[in-house]
Amino acid sequence: MVELTSLDQISTLKPGTRQIIIENVDLDDSQLSNIFAQLEQFKHLEWLSIASNRVTTLDIDMSAFKSLVYFDFSSNPITEVPLQTLTTISNLRHVVTSYLSEESEENMAMELENLLSLNGLPLVAAEKANQDVRQLLLSLSSTPVAELDDVELEEKIEADIKEVVEETVMPVEEEPEAEVEEPFTVVDRISVDEIEEIANVFDAIKSIFVKTPEDDLFLTNRFEKKTGTIFKRLESKLNTISEEEAEKRSVEIHNAKFNLFDLCLKEFISIESANVVTDVEMQKVNILNVIRESMNECFRSVVPVIDIVQERHENKIITLKRERKELQNEVSRVLSVAENLQNDNEQMFNVQKDSKNRYDHDKMELLNKVGDLQAENERLKARVQQLKLQQLKSQKGTQGFLQTMKSRIRPPSPQLNTTAIPSSVPKYMQGKNETPKKDTPKRTFLRTDEAPASATTKKRSRSYKQLTLKQTKDLINDVYTSKIAHDKKCKEVGLPVETLEQHIITYFNQRYGLKRLVQEMLHSFSRATKKFALEDNYILVFLRILKHQIDEHFVSVQKQLVETVNSLVDVYLRNKYPNMPIKAVKKKAQEVTADYINESMYVDIITYIYEEADAMEVLQLVQSHTKKEWTRRLAEGDIIDDLVNYDGGLSAAERLRFKQLSKSGKLNNHVAELSLLPQKEKTKIRFNDFIQILLNFQLNGHIAYLKTFQDIFNTFDGDGNGQLNDEEFKMLMRKVIHGLSELQCTTYLNDADPLGSNSFTFTQCVEFFSDKISFTDIRV
């Protein structure tokens, strides 16, 4: 028996070689045809093994191997074997393979009629094997078969089978039952005694069959390789099992020990089957195979049971862990909800506390005002009474005064004869409800800054509350919020929607209640809006809506513009500083929006937002503002801080000179020194001023866009209250959309006012016509 370590050694073999082993030499499909062509010279080759290589197919011609009895191609990635290749080997009796499906093995057993074993297992039917065993035992029995009846024959066969099994299998002495509670012994390694026992069994096998040193060396190497494979497989499995899973590790160790002993038995059967000469010897091999398979089946059937038990145990553990995690999550959720409730409770308590304090404060203020009003009222009543008494005394004297007092105590009730009233008496004196209507202008919010004339205002001037810019903007925002909610309710119930001017009166009456307090706040609010309109675009838009120059929805357009500019500042800084952290970029953006914005940044923002023509116009507005701002800073001396603090190459002496010039007031005459500042210092603009320029440009453009429509609307708004009725709305439609029929006008009217409120504000009209016409295309 010759084992090759490389393919080049084939040429060194003798022509009469009978057994060749070509294992673990990286033999692949590209070399297979060439190797088998070289092996054809060995006419007496009986044993051939190409196991443990990289062969994937056996699609080759093997008809020249007439003497081949044993062929091993196991441990190769071969999943299908062409049967026509093996059927050409006439004397093939034993085949060892792996990775074949059960169906492929059955087909091989059926096609190869002379095959005696496949993978070490006999290929005979169960009934035939039993008959062979019985025939063998009967031939070995000392008692003549003719002297036994059927029952005695069966008992004799069973006794002989038991005797053969006892002689074949190594006797195991019965050990006393160990006093343990567990049915399974946990082990953590294969002992040295067990390894020596396996080695002794293999030495006994070699002593029976080995005839030459070459055979001894071959079997020893073969046994060591296979045992090494078993130990490597055991080590790889133990590496995947943690130390805590002792039972699972013990199962793998027991399985490895069983495979080692099974390897000895398999080698014994394999060698014995290769040396079979007579049918009796073949029957002995079959008996051993039956015993080995039974032992394998018994042991293998135990492993799944252990796996099932362990899997159930692991599933229970996983279930318990999952339930524990769910309980932890539930506890965390409950704690989180409790914490949120506590925070909400504290917040509600604080809100309630603040509301109570504010209520108490407002209540005290109102009570004080009510007290002042009552005292003033009593004082005025007393003064009026005093004046009346003095007048009566001067006209009638003392006697007339007493008579008048008596008549006031019990006044007469004469019957008036209206027919006797002369025609020269005014109408309002002829009847109680006949007061003539005065042709005076309607009092609105825009006229509330005119203090009402009365007896008291003629004598003393009333001081009104001065609102700050923030208070004014907050009040405007509250009015917007209240009007949105009020409009929604009006649309739901079909009531006319108020104009912004009308809703201001409604809102102030609801908020302040007392008439005098409402008038004071309206007056203060009107003065504040006119004062801050030129300073803040938000207030200017509010006034333009009051005058029906723009619609109410334009407020959201301005807000969107501010948000867009802030976003563009953030994007600009991200692109300029790509490696800067996000928090640092946001902080820098906040610094920019709170201070100045440079030219490169606002040019990028303007060109992104506007078209080319509009962008040029906005840039001109910004540049004009920066020039005025530079002149102001220069005149007021603000530029000194920039000159002194500017770290752009100025020496200490130059900075000292700037300070001296500033103190002497001669800095304006030194243009050379001013030119030392970079251009960006002259072109930068405050961010808030930049926003106001954009908002004012947007507002002026929208006013110009709606100017023609506003003029037409004012033409049909006869009373100037900012509302049209159905007939006025129809006339507006015919004026704006030419060629409308009466049916079309009615249809549009129903679409615009489905609930029949008979009222259309300027904002509603703009909203209705915006998707039907372009306001720039309107012609008067």
Side-chain angles (χ1 to χ4, degrees):
M1 184 175 295
V2 180
E3 183 174 4
L4 304 182
T5 58
S6 67
L7 298 176
D8 297 335
Q9 295 177 350
I10 296 177
S11 60
T12 62
L13 299 179
K14 298 179 181 181
T17 303
R18 295 178 177 274
Q19 297 178 348
I20 299 177
I21 308 299
I22 310 175
E23 297 181 357
N24 296 306
V25 294
D26 291 334
L27 178 62
D28 56 19
D29 296 339
S30 62
Q31 302 167 324
L32 190 63
S33 299
N34 186 27
I35 295 301
F36 272 81
Q38 296 181 39
L39 293 176
E40 290 180 359
Q41 61 179 321
F42 305 104
K43 302 299 182 180
H44 303 288
L45 182 62
E46 298 177 353
W47 183 300
L48 178 60
S49 175
I50 59 171
S52 302
N53 286 296
R54 295 186 289 111
V55 179
T56 62
T57 180
L58 287 177
D59 191 8
I60 56 176
D61 183 15
M62 297 185 65
S63 59
F65 298 89
K66 303 295 184 182
S67 302
L68 188 61
V69 176
Y70 184 92
F71 186 29
D72 183 0
F73 54 91
S74 61
S75 298
N76 281 288
I78 300 176
T79 57
E80 291 292 337
V81 179
L83 295 178
Q84 62 271 20
T85 300
L86 300 180
T87 53
T88 58
I89 309 174
S90 57
N91 290 325
L92 185 62
R93 296 292 185 271
H94 309 281
V95 175
V96 181
T97 182
S98 55
Y99 302 112
L100 292 183
S101 62
E102 185 177 351
E103 182 180 358
S104 299
E105 290 182 352
E106 292 179 357
N107 293 335
M108 184 183 296
M110 293 177 62
E111 293 294 333
L112 303 178
E113 298 178 355
N114 297 328
L115 197 62
L116 298 179
S117 68
L118 178 60
N119 297 330
L121 300 178
L123 297 179
V124 291
E127 183 179 356
K128 181 66 169 59
N130 291 334
Q131 291 177 1
D132 293 341
V133 172
R134 291 171 182 268
Q135 187 64 33
L136 175 62
L137 293 175
L138 289 176
S139 64
L140 298 175
S141 176
S142 59
T143 305
V145 178
E147 298 178 2
L148 299 175
D149 56 12
D150 294 339
V151 178
E152 292 175 346
L153 180 60
E154 292 294 332
E155 292 177 355
K156 179 63 176 174
I157 291 174
E158 292 178 1
D160 291 338
I161 291 174
K162 183 177 181 182
E163 182 180 355
V164 170
V165 171
E166 290 177 354
E167 292 177 354
T168 304
V169 182
M170 297 179 61
V172 180
E173 296 182 359
E174 295 184 358
E175 298 181 358
E177 295 183 357
E179 297 181 358
V180 293
E181 297 180 358
E182 298 182 2
F184 180 73
T185 304
V186 178
V187 295
D188 58 352
R189 65 183 182 277
I190 300 176
S191 64
V192 177
D193 295 337
E194 291 170 335
I195 295 175
E196 290 181 354
E197 184 180 358
I198 294 169
N200 293 334
V201 171
F202 184 70
D203 290 340
I205 294 173
K206 290 196 299 182
S207 65
I208 297 173
F209 297 103
V210 173
K211 300 296 190 295
T212 63
E214 292 80 5
D215 293 343
D216 181 86
L217 179 60
F218 168 74
L219 290 176
T220 302
N221 293 337
R222 181 184 180 89
F223 182 76
E224 289 178 352
K225 287 182 180 180
K226 293 187 177 181
T227 53
T229 302
I230 294 174
F231 280 111
K232 288 181 180 179
R233 187 182 299 114
L234 173 62
E235 182 181 2
S236 63
K237 289 187 177 180
L238 293 180
N239 289 335
T240 60
I241 304 173
S242 62
E243 294 291 341
E244 290 78 10
E245 299 177 301
E247 293 83 0
K248 196 168 183 179
R249 295 173 67 87
S250 182
V251 169
E252 296 297 335
I253 292 172
H254 280 291
N255 189 23
K257 288 196 296 186
F258 176 81
N259 290 333
L260 289 173
F261 281 105
D262 184 64
L263 175 62
C264 295
L265 181 57
K266 183 178 179 181
E267 288 293 328
F268 176 80
I269 296 173
S270 178
I271 297 173
E272 179 66 22
S273 62
N275 293 279
V276 167
V277 178
T278 64
D279 292 339
V280 174
E281 292 176 347
M282 190 63 212
Q283 290 174 355
K284 291 179 181 180
V285 172
N286 291 339
I287 292 173
L288 291 176
N289 273 318
V290 170
I291 296 170
R292 175 176 172 269
E293 286 301 316
S294 300
M295 292 171 60
N296 270 299
E297 184 177 357
C298 293
F299 182 81
R300 302 298 180 193
S301 63
V302 175
V303 175
V305 175
I306 297 175
D307 292 339
I308 292 173
V309 173
Q310 183 177 2
E311 184 179 358
R312 291 178 180 175
H313 177 67
E314 291 176 350
N315 290 336
K316 288 183 180 179
I317 293 175
I318 293 173
T319 303
L320 291 175
K321 288 182 178 180
R322 184 174 64 252
E323 292 177 353
R324 184 184 67 178
K325 187 175 181 180
E326 291 176 355
L327 288 175
Q328 291 176 346
N329 294 336
E330 183 67 19
V331 171
S332 301
R333 190 184 66 80
V334 172
L335 291 176
S336 177
V337 172
E339 184 178 359
N340 293 334
L341 289 175
Q342 184 178 1
N343 294 334
D344 293 342
N345 188 21
E346 293 177 356
Q347 187 176 1
M348 291 297 295
F349 176 77
N350 294 331
V351 171
Q352 185 178 6
K353 186 178 179 180
D354 295 340
S355 300
K356 186 176 181 303
N357 294 334
R358 189 164 57 251
Y359 170 77
D360 293 339
H361 180 268
D362 294 343
K363 181 179 179 182
M364 290 302 299
E365 275 192 0
L366 292 175
L367 289 175
N368 292 332
K369 290 182 179 181
V370 170
D372 294 342
L373 291 173
Q374 289 177 348
E376 180 74 12
N377 190 28
E378 293 297 330
R379 189 182 66 78
L380 291 174
K381 284 183 179 180
R383 180 62 178 165
V384 170
Q385 188 71 20
Q386 184 180 4
L387 292 173
K388 287 184 177 180
L389 290 174
Q390 291 177 356
Q391 185 179 9
L392 289 174
K393 285 180 180 181
S394 61
Q395 290 179 356
K396 299 181 180 180
T398 305
Q399 187 66 28
F401 172 75
L402 293 175
Q403 292 178 357
T404 305
M405 292 299 294
K406 290 181 180 178
S407 65
R408 291 184 66 188
I409 294 173
R410 184 175 296 175
S413 54
Q415 299 294 329
L416 296 177
N417 185 6
T418 57
T419 59
I421 299 176
S423 59
S424 60
V425 179
K427 279 189 175 182
Y428 68 91
M429 297 179 61
Q430 299 179 12
K432 184 177 181 181
N433 298 326
E434 297 296 330
T435 303
K437 295 182 180 180
K438 297 181 180 181
D439 190 12
T440 57
K442 186 178 179 181
R443 189 168 190 79
T444 64
F445 167 73
L446 293 176
R447 302 187 183 93
T448 52
D449 56 332
E450 302 170 0
S454 62
T456 57
T457 56
K458 292 180 180 178
K459 294 183 179 181
R460 61 184 181 88
S461 61
R462 182 176 300 171
S463 60
Y464 293 98
K465 181 179 180 181
Q466 300 293 327
L467 298 179
T468 63
L469 176 62
K470 183 178 184 306
Q471 290 174 332
T472 306
K473 294 178 72 173
D474 291 342
L475 198 54
I476 290 175
N477 191 51
D478 293 341
V479 171
Y480 282 147
T481 305
S482 174
K483 188 175 188 308
I484 292 173
H486 187 269
D487 291 349
K488 183 178 179 182
K489 291 181 181 179
C490 290
K491 290 178 181 179
E492 289 176 354
V493 298
L495 293 177
V497 176
E498 292 181 335
T499 62
L500 182 60
E501 184 179 5
Q502 293 170 344
H503 188 74
I504 291 174
I505 308 299
T506 302
Y507 174 75
F508 275 73
N509 283 325
Q510 292 175 351
R511 179 167 179 174
Y512 300 105
L514 295 177
K515 182 177 180 181
R516 179 182 174 185
L517 187 59
V518 171
Q519 289 179 348
E520 289 179 359
M521 289 305 300
L522 282 173
H523 184 77
S524 300
F525 184 49
S526 176
R527 291 174 60 122
T529 53
K530 293 180 179 179
K531 176 183 176 182
F532 297 118
L534 298 178
E535 181 180 346
D536 192 278
N537 179 267
Y538 189 69
I539 300 176
L540 183 59
V541 169
F542 180 77
L543 289 181
R544 292 294 178 263
I545 295 174
L546 285 176
K547 295 180 180 179
H548 312 302
Q549 292 179 325
I550 58 175
D551 56 291
E552 298 172 14
H553 303 303
F554 186 70
V555 178
S556 60
V557 177
Q558 298 292 74
K559 290 182 179 179
Q560 182 64 36
L561 177 61
V562 175
E563 293 175 359
T564 303
V565 172
N566 287 318
S567 300
L568 291 175
V569 170
D570 188 66
V571 172
Y572 177 88
L573 294 175
R574 287 175 185 271
N575 294 332
K576 186 175 181 180
Y577 307 104
N579 298 325
M580 183 179 291
I582 296 177
K583 291 184 178 179
V585 172
K586 290 184 178 180
K587 184 178 179 180
K588 195 168 185 64
Q590 292 175 356
E591 294 174 356
V592 170
T593 55
D595 197 12
Y596 283 92
I597 179 173
N598 59 44
E599 184 179 14
S600 61
M601 186 183 297
Y602 67 67
V603 168
D604 286 350
I605 293 175
I606 292 173
T607 54
Y608 179 84
I609 295 177
Y610 298 103
E611 298 292 338
E612 183 176 359
D614 292 339
M616 292 298 297
E617 186 175 351
V618 175
L619 282 174
Q620 290 177 0
L621 293 174
V622 173
Q623 291 170 357
S624 175
H625 180 85
T626 56
K627 291 179 181 179
K628 293 179 182 178
E629 181 69 11
W630 172 261
T631 304
R632 182 195 65 77
R633 292 170 62 198
L634 191 63
E636 296 178 3
D638 294 346
I639 198 66
I640 299 302
D641 295 333
D642 294 334
L643 287 169
V644 174
N645 298 326
Y646 173 60
D647 188 13
L650 297 181
S651 63
E654 289 173 335
R655 296 185 183 186
L656 180 60
R657 175 172 172 77
F658 284 133
K659 289 184 179 180
Q660 294 174 350
L661 291 173
S662 174
K663 292 179 180 179
S664 63
K666 299 178 180 180
L667 181 63
N668 294 345
N669 299 327
H670 292 75
V671 182
E673 283 81 356
L674 294 177
S675 63
L676 293 175
L677 279 177
Q679 182 66 22
K680 65 180 182 180
E681 292 295 324
K682 301 178 183 179
T683 57
K684 67 182 182 180
I685 183 175
R686 291 189 181 276
F687 182 79
N688 187 50
D689 295 343
F690 176 66
I691 289 292
Q692 293 299 319
I693 291 174
L694 297 185
L695 294 175
N696 289 333
F697 178 78
Q698 201 84 1
L699 174 61
N700 294 332
H702 196 62
I703 292 174
Y705 178 67
L706 296 177
K707 183 63 174 65
T708 305
F709 182 79
Q710 179 204 359
D711 294 339
I712 298 175
F713 181 88
N714 293 335
T715 301
F716 298 108
D717 183 20
D719 52 4
N721 64 348
Q723 291 178 308
L724 303 179
N725 57 28
D726 290 352
E727 293 300 325
E728 292 170 341
F729 184 74
K730 284 185 178 180
M731 289 188 290
L732 177 65
M733 280 193 294
R734 292 190 181 96
K735 185 69 175 179
V736 173
I737 306 176
H738 299 286
L740 285 179
S741 63
E742 184 64 26
L743 178 60
Q744 289 176 327
C745 288
T746 304
T747 303
Y748 281 160
L749 179 64
N750 294 332
D751 292 341
D753 186 20
L755 298 179
S757 63
N758 191 27
S759 175
F760 301 90
T761 65
F762 180 76
T763 297
Q764 287 177 312
C765 292
V766 171
E767 182 180 2
F768 177 77
F769 288 105
S770 61
D771 60 344
K772 295 176 174 58
I773 61 171
S774 175
F775 292 104
T776 57
D777 297 337
I778 300 176
R779 298 291 180 269
V780 180

